Amino acid sequence: MRLTAIEEGHLRNGMPGTIGIVGLFPADDPPFDLAWLRARVRERWGGLERMSLALRPPAGPAAFSGHRWAARPFDPAAHIATDDRDLRTLLTDAVSRPLPEDRPLWRLLVTERATERGERAVVLLAHHALLDGRSLETLFRLLMDDAAPPRPPAAPGAEPRRRPVRPATVGRELRVIGARGRALPASPAGEYAPSVAVVRLDAPVMRAARRQPEAGRGATLNELLLSSFAGALRARYGPLRAWPAGPVPFFGTVPVDLRGRHDAQRLGNGVTALRIPLPVDLDSPVARLRVCQEEVAAFDHRCDAHRAILPPLLATARAMPWLAEVMARRLARPELTTSLCTAFKWRDNPSRLHGRTLARVVPLPQLATPGTANLCLVHCADTYTLTVVSHLRDGDAGLIGGAVARELAAVAACEAPAARAAREVRAR
């Protein structure tokens, strides 16, 4: 079975392509039994065709012949293992090297004392060509004790009818896709190194930030992440006029799932990417948030444009694998895709795995080309966790994560005096 153009692009963009999702469980719970976990994986994933697909190299010249998927017998023992590394080290190593191609491109690792609190971790890793972030979330949910079995895909023709897309809308979106933006300011002497930071955010601060702006509808996780990242960039590098490259915007890229209710649990790659200029030049946290809310409000119409653009483009690229590679390497350039910013909520609470309560979910974005940083924010129960994967100077992921946390606190503190006084009275 031939790979789609998107899958082929993830293989040919020159990067390792590993993404992941982590479940953290309390330190005082008993260790996971590996034999039980392998049995659970066989029970829940064994019937999913995607999890048995291994790569076959192109049959001819790579420019004219694409990779293929080949089905292998489902063997959890080959994929599930224990690991004694701490979580940050494990994740940094994971994004820095590709998964072995002699088996389907996923692994499930169990590590004791993954964090300073002694939490246990179950880590699902996969190549982005095989699975996207929403697929990882779907698979992880299927492992939980009370998970519902996956719904069968809807019959052909059951998809909802889409509103027509105006040519002008498509034209605007094509201009945004190809617009040149800024990379993050270069490291001195080209000293680039992958780094990963996992930042546990303060839950009361996040709840207060989500109530912003005052008298508005409140803020989504995506809007908060985009605006706080803009503020973190301003705090770290100054306003855009102080950056190199002249009057060019800095774009954040938001992956948006194109699946609908009829195929919500379909595994593979079902997302597109929307670029928005981040308001780095604004000095007010709430002003930055309002701008990001306006940008996010346009996502539905922009996704309609992508649904019109993608089918003919991907059909052409699939017929000419060299074109898929050209597109993938172009989009991987830091001036085009500098920072992927993703946020989601784990909606099944409480979730348990073999009776152990899921305490936190940690996402793992992929490592991109030098000069980039990717961020993902997850809300699980009453915890908020931010992961930063940077390809800048060693340790820059932690600096960016700390700056984003401070910007979120600044958003949360922007209450009007009357609202703040009322809250303090209630707290007494």
Side-chain angles (χ1 to χ4, degrees), residues 73-419:
F74 188 77
D75 182 13
H79 292 272
I80 302 172
T82 57
D83 196 291
D84 59 2
R85 291 171 291 179
D86 65 273
L87 187 61
R88 189 185 66 81
T89 302
L90 190 159
L91 297 183
T92 303
D93 289 348
V95 299
S96 304
R97 55 178 56 92
L99 292 164
E101 294 186 6
D102 59 344
R103 67 192 75 169
L105 297 174
W106 63 272
R107 293 197 73 190
L108 192 69
L109 303 175
V110 179
T111 180
E112 305 290 330
R113 302 195 63 81
T115 68
E116 293 179 354
R117 300 182 178 206
E119 295 164 298
R120 293 184 170 84
V122 177
V123 184
L124 173 58
L125 304 171
H127 196 291
H128 209 321
L130 182 73
L131 300 164
D132 61 12
R134 177 54 59 86
S135 299
L136 295 181
E137 184 186 350
T138 296
L139 286 166
F140 217 74
R141 281 197 168 95
L142 289 176
L143 288 183
M144 297 298 127
D145 293 345
D146 55 353
R151 295 192 301 270
E159 299 87 354
R161 294 185 63 182
R162 300 287 179 187
R163 56 197 168 204
V165 183
R166 296 178 179 178
T169 303
V170 173
R172 281 196 301 271
E173 192 60 30
L174 286 172
R175 287 192 293 274
V176 172
I177 291 171
R180 182 173 176 272
R182 297 173 187 260
L184 290 170
S187 297
E191 297 172 354
Y192 293 107
S195 64
V196 175
V198 178
V199 182
R200 183 166 182 161
L201 302 171
D202 186 77
V205 165
M206 290 299 300
R207 288 194 293 269
R210 296 189 71 176
R211 291 193 292 267
Q212 295 293 342
E214 188 196 11
R217 59 168 171 78
T220 67
L221 291 178
N222 255 325
E223 293 161 354
L224 283 173
L225 178 59
L226 291 164
S227 64
S228 60
F229 183 44
L233 293 175
R234 180 183 176 88
R236 181 154 174 72
Y237 300 113
L240 289 178
R241 63 179 177 272
W243 297 25
V248 179
F250 180 91
F251 287 97
T253 302
V254 183
V256 179
D257 193 9
L258 294 181
R259 298 172 180 88
R261 292 184 179 180
H262 64 287
D263 65 346
Q265 293 181 297
R266 174 172 57 85
L267 302 179
N269 280 274
V271 302
T272 191
L274 303 181
R275 301 175 81 204
I276 68 169
L278 294 188
V280 178
D281 278 339
L282 297 180
D283 59 2
S284 163
V286 171
R288 289 192 293 266
L289 177 57
R290 289 186 186 277
V291 168
C292 290
Q293 287 183 313
E294 292 172 2
E295 294 285 351
V296 172
F299 277 10
D300 280 348
H301 290 288
R302 294 182 62 187
C303 282
D304 288 341
H306 280 240
R307 290 186 178 97
I309 294 166
L310 287 173
L313 179 63
L314 297 180
T316 303
R318 189 170 186 264
M320 295 181 286
W322 62 267
L323 180 58
E325 180 169 348
V326 169
M327 292 167 53
R329 288 185 177 270
R330 173 175 168 75
L331 290 174
R333 289 163 54 180
E335 65 269 23
L336 286 178
T337 307
T338 305
S339 294
L340 289 168
C341 297
T342 314
F344 68 91
K345 181 176 181 179
W346 182 272
R347 300 188 181 278
D348 302 334
N349 292 305
S351 290
R352 294 184 176 86
L353 182 61
H354 205 191
R356 296 149 180 81
T357 301
L358 178 65
R360 283 198 288 155
V361 171
V362 177
L364 180 64
Q366 65 183 320
L367 179 73
T369 50
T372 61
N374 293 335
L375 297 83
C376 190
L377 171 64
V378 175
H379 177 198
C380 175
D382 197 33
T383 65
Y384 295 82
T385 304
L386 172 69
T387 306
V388 181
V389 176
S390 76
H391 205 164
L392 301 163
R393 290 177 301 180
D394 187 26
D396 268 8
L399 297 175
I400 293 172
V404 170
R406 289 189 291 274
E407 290 301 315
L408 287 166
V411 174
C414 288
E415 293 179 292

